[in-house]
Amino acid sequence: MNLLGSFVIALSMYSRIPMPQVEWTKERMRYAMCFFPIIGLISGGILILFTWAASAAGAGTVFKTLGGVAAPLLVTGGIHMDGFLDVTDARRSYGSREKKLEILKDPHTGAFAIIGLGVYLLLYGAAFSELEFEDICLLTFIFMGERALSGLSVVGFPKAKKDGLAAEFSGAAVKRTVQAVMALYLCISSAGLISVGGPVTGVACIAAAGAVFYYYYRMSMKEFGGMTGDLAGYFLQSAELALVMVLAVCRMAGLH
């Protein structure tokens, strides 16, 4: 078992963090998905560090908000946002299942993807501007938990296509091991949200994540016939936006 190689593959694929080159062997691919949520921890840590440094330097709300929105995208290189945009284009075509899957493979960006990106960033920025430092610390647990859910979908949901990144990772993974590890990440994430954010905020975040995950499953099956890598990215970005908005609502309502 080459867990270090699996770790390097996960970070090389799903982040822009510099990693040494390793061969993508079958053995290493088996457990690569187990390290996917670690990228959420790293993203959250970088976001906390940025917020702390910006506050210490006396930066204003606009600088901290825009920088905070950009930080997770810079860590991932936008790989999940790419999926969000592709799925947005496909769904707004209102075409057949086959047509939507064709759009997912199209490298060109349509008008609805651009509109979706603009609305997404505006909503994210509006919600993020309401967060206090304590809320931003909670995003570390959110980033980890949403990736654990995404990993569960990769190894557990039916696939819309036999090829593609999701099918490759799912086919190579030791599914029961990955599912057990993802469940552990979810337990840690849930415990962190409740213990640090308080029971009301924690339960609200967990419920929102579960609702988005359920919607993701139903939508993927109905409109695409299964999940793909793009749909996994769509879920991750949708869950992130939803939970940032939940944190903002809880903060404005004085619930924590």
Side-chain angles (χ1 to χ4, degrees):
M1 185 186 302
N2 189 343
L3 293 182
L4 179 59
S6 300
F7 173 79
V8 170
I9 288 174
L11 266 70
S12 298
M13 185 66 232
Y14 294 110
S15 80
R16 298 296 296 170
I17 300 170
M19 285 283 122
Q21 290 188 347
V22 298
E23 185 180 355
W24 287 37
T25 63
K26 185 176 180 180
E27 180 67 25
R28 289 167 176 165
M29 290 286 288
R30 287 178 178 174
Y31 302 99
M33 190 58 61
C34 294
F35 296 97
F36 182 34
I38 297 295
I39 301 169
L41 289 176
I42 295 172
S43 296
I46 290 174
L47 182 56
I48 291 171
L49 181 61
F50 164 79
T51 304
W52 174 83
S55 297
T61 301
V62 174
F63 181 86
K64 289 188 288 187
T65 297
L66 297 182
V69 172
L73 293 173
L74 292 173
V75 173
T76 63
I79 185 172
H80 309 301
M81 183 60 77
D82 176 71
F84 178 86
L85 300 183
D86 287 344
V87 173
T88 299
D89 257 344
R91 297 190 70 200
R92 292 301 176 268
S93 73
Y94 299 102
S96 65
R97 180 179 294 177
E98 292 72 22
K99 176 65 175 178
K100 290 177 180 178
L101 290 172
E102 284 296 322
I103 292 174
L104 291 185
K105 295 191 294 184
D106 190 340
H108 299 92
T109 301
F112 287 110
I114 301 302
I115 295 169
L117 175 63
V119 172
Y120 183 99
L121 293 177
L122 287 172
L123 291 175
Y124 199 117
F128 193 91
S129 68
E130 298 294 334
L131 304 185
E132 301 292 340
F133 184 73
E134 293 82 1
D135 306 313
I136 293 171
C137 291
L138 290 177
L139 288 175
T140 300
F141 298 112
I142 288 173
F143 291 165
M144 177 176 63
E146 68 191 16
R147 283 167 172 78
L149 288 172
S150 183
L152 284 175
S153 76
V154 169
V155 297
F157 286 7
K159 306 299 180 293
K161 301 183 298 182
K162 293 183 179 180
D163 57 351
L165 191 60
E168 181 179 357
F169 271 89
S170 178
V174 181
K175 291 181 172 57
R176 289 193 176 182
T177 300
V178 172
Q179 289 169 343
V181 173
M182 295 299 125
L184 177 60
Y185 281 123
L186 285 175
C187 290
I188 295 172
S189 174
S190 299
L193 286 170
I194 293 173
S195 62
V196 178
V200 175
T201 298
V203 171
C205 287
I206 294 168
V212 176
F213 189 67
Y214 176 74
Y215 172 78
Y216 159 51
Y217 174 76
R218 292 295 300 271
M219 181 270 291
S220 298
M221 295 302 298
K222 180 180 179 181
E223 298 187 27
F224 296 89
M227 66 85 62
T228 69
D230 283 328
L231 282 159
Y234 180 87
F235 159 72
L236 197 149
Q237 294 293 165
S238 298
E240 187 171 319
L241 174 60
L243 269 65
V244 169
M245 294 182 72
V246 168
L247 288 180
V249 170
C250 290
R251 173 58 62 183
M252 290 187 288
L255 297 177
H256 65 104

